[in-house]
Amino acid sequence: MKVNAFEVASRYVYPSLRRRLVEHLRGRGLKQTEIAELLHVTQSAVSRYLNMDRGALIDVSKFREIDDELRTLAEEIAEFRPSEYDIHMRLIGIALKMLGKGYVCSFHAKIDPEVNPVECRVCIELFG
């Protein structure tokens, strides 16, 4: 295994979750500058998420349970304006749930041909 689960989570899963969160906030009619302020990121980062230049390798929307959690988080962010640490903690929790349910295994195998998703149960056992 050349690319471990933590690398997959930090380089691919987390950015994909943030991209989808940005999409949900945009769907609420918020402007890029408003989204950036709420998420404690730059407007440029929001633009890259929306233009699929960042976080586009995993389509989080196909995992209904995860997408519903992100939609709920977007609503909470818009209403309560949590700190960047609270948002980060929630996103990490959602990322761990994705790993624990095995949603990322086939993607991991695509970026690292040495990974055999049939044999590897690391994420499912650690985070499931």
Side-chain angles (χ1 to χ4, degrees):
M1 180 182 325
K2 293 178 183 170
V3 180
N4 68 52
F6 288 113
E7 290 175 286
V8 172
S10 68
R11 291 176 59 195
Y12 303 101
V13 176
Y14 192 88
S16 296
L17 292 172
R18 283 182 86 173
R19 179 188 56 77
R20 188 65 179 149
L21 181 59
V22 165
E23 290 175 341
H24 283 304
L25 289 166
R26 184 68 167 174
R28 296 178 61 82
L30 297 173
K31 297 177 184 175
Q32 287 185 18
T33 53
E34 294 170 318
I35 295 169
E37 183 180 319
L38 287 170
L39 295 181
H40 309 277
V41 298
T42 64
Q43 182 275 325
S44 174
V46 171
S47 176
R48 285 182 291 210
Y49 286 123
L50 291 171
N51 290 327
M52 304 292 275
D53 294 334
R54 181 185 284 181
L57 294 179
I58 299 174
D59 180 9
V60 175
S61 68
K62 71 181 183 178
F63 307 110
R64 185 182 172 119
E65 174 184 9
I66 301 300
D67 200 38
D68 288 346
E69 282 194 47
L70 290 170
R71 185 177 296 105
T72 299
L73 179 56
E75 292 168 5
E76 292 171 9
I77 289 169
E79 185 174 346
F80 301 113
R81 304 177 70 89
S83 74
E84 89 180 278
Y85 300 108
D86 290 333
I87 295 168
H88 179 63
M89 184 173 63
R90 290 282 298 278
L91 286 173
I92 288 176
I94 296 168
L96 291 175
K97 181 179 269 188
M98 279 188 74
L99 293 170
K101 291 194 172 282
Y103 293 159
V104 184
C105 296
S106 60
F107 176 79
H108 191 178
K110 286 179 187 174
I111 62 170
D112 185 350
E114 290 183 13
V115 171
N116 180 346
V118 174
E119 292 179 11
C120 179
R121 299 198 39 85
V122 173
C123 293
I124 292 168
E125 291 185 24
L126 287 176
F127 309 120

